[in-house]
Amino acid sequence: QKEVEQNSGPLSVPEGAIASLNCTYSDRGSQSFFWYRQYSGKSPELIMFIYSNGDKEDGRFTAQLNKASQYVSLLIRDSQPSDSATYLCAVNTGGGSNYKLTFGKGTLLTVNP
Amino acid sequence: DAMVIQNPRYQVTQFGKPVTLSCSQTLNHNVMYWYQQKSSQAPKLLFHYYDKDFNNEADTPDNFQSRRPNTSFCFLDIRSPGLGDAAMYLCATSSWGGPFNEQYFGPGTRLTVT
């Protein structure tokens, strides 16, 4: 059973702080890693993806990948109340026509004004 | 704008009464996925189509079926809904062959079973 683990939270940070979200995965063969944001009652929205070890920055978001440790994280700088949502980590499994994503349960982030 | 569309957004059905959920996409993606998501849980993959090739997850109940008549449309049929099938059903698409195969989700259909 290939697994993706996230701390369910809730993670509470003050406005303007850095929020750090973490994810570990069990499949050493995974190559692609995704972060989705999901507001309550809405569908997941892709915010970042990464496939190389190291950091990838996009605006206030930074994804970090360490394949040796099977660890991926998302940093949100200058957190805003509008960032309050559940953040889902997703990791690819399978290949070819059987390529698919396994999702973690998500971390609920609350940004307090 | 290119997008993934799901209809209806909310569906109420009775216990045991068949229901069909639809998904369409204007992204021209060759892969379409159906997920079930219950409250505070991860999206659970039910099945996916790679072009016309159907891939069923081993633990997807037989009660769930799918059809993809063309590239743009995909349907989820629940033959005899039970109370445990109440959930958000998410359709996603991706373009196999791209560097990341990222998936894009539709808005979802919230299914209630009475």
Side-chain angles (χ1 to χ4, degrees), chain B:
Chain B
D1 286 340
M3 54 176 39
V4 183
I5 301 162
Q6 291 187 246
N7 285 302
R9 296 290 308 279
Y10 302 90
Q11 175 72 58
V12 180
T13 191
Q14 293 177 333
F15 183 94
K17 186 174 181 181
V19 65
T20 295
L21 311 181
S22 75
C23 177
S24 64
Q25 53 121 345
T26 60
L27 297 161
N28 202 32
H29 284 171
N30 55 350
V31 191
M32 295 186 77
Y33 304 81
W34 279 106
Y35 291 88
Q36 177 194 65
Q37 187 180 28
K38 296 184 178 180
S39 181
S40 301
Q41 294 187 21
K44 177 182 181 298
L45 183 64
L46 296 173
F47 22 60
H48 72 280
Y49 277 93
Y50 176 78
D51 290 326
K52 287 188 177 293
D53 292 336
F54 178 69
N55 296 271
N56 196 33
E57 293 300 297
D59 58 354
T60 298
D62 292 340
N63 197 26
F64 292 84
Q65 304 285 319
S66 185
R67 297 169 282 136
R68 188 179 187 185
N70 54 52
T71 300
S72 300
F73 284 86
C74 196
F75 299 96
L76 170 61
D77 301 309
I78 308 176
R79 294 192 296 187
S80 182
L83 297 179
D85 296 329
M88 174 79 90
Y89 290 88
L90 298 163
C91 174
T93 73
S94 70
S95 179
W96 175 251
F100 304 110
N101 301 305
E102 61 270 28
Q103 295 183 18
Y104 296 94
F105 284 84
T109 295
R110 172 74 64 186
L111 178 68
T112 300
V113 182
T114 62

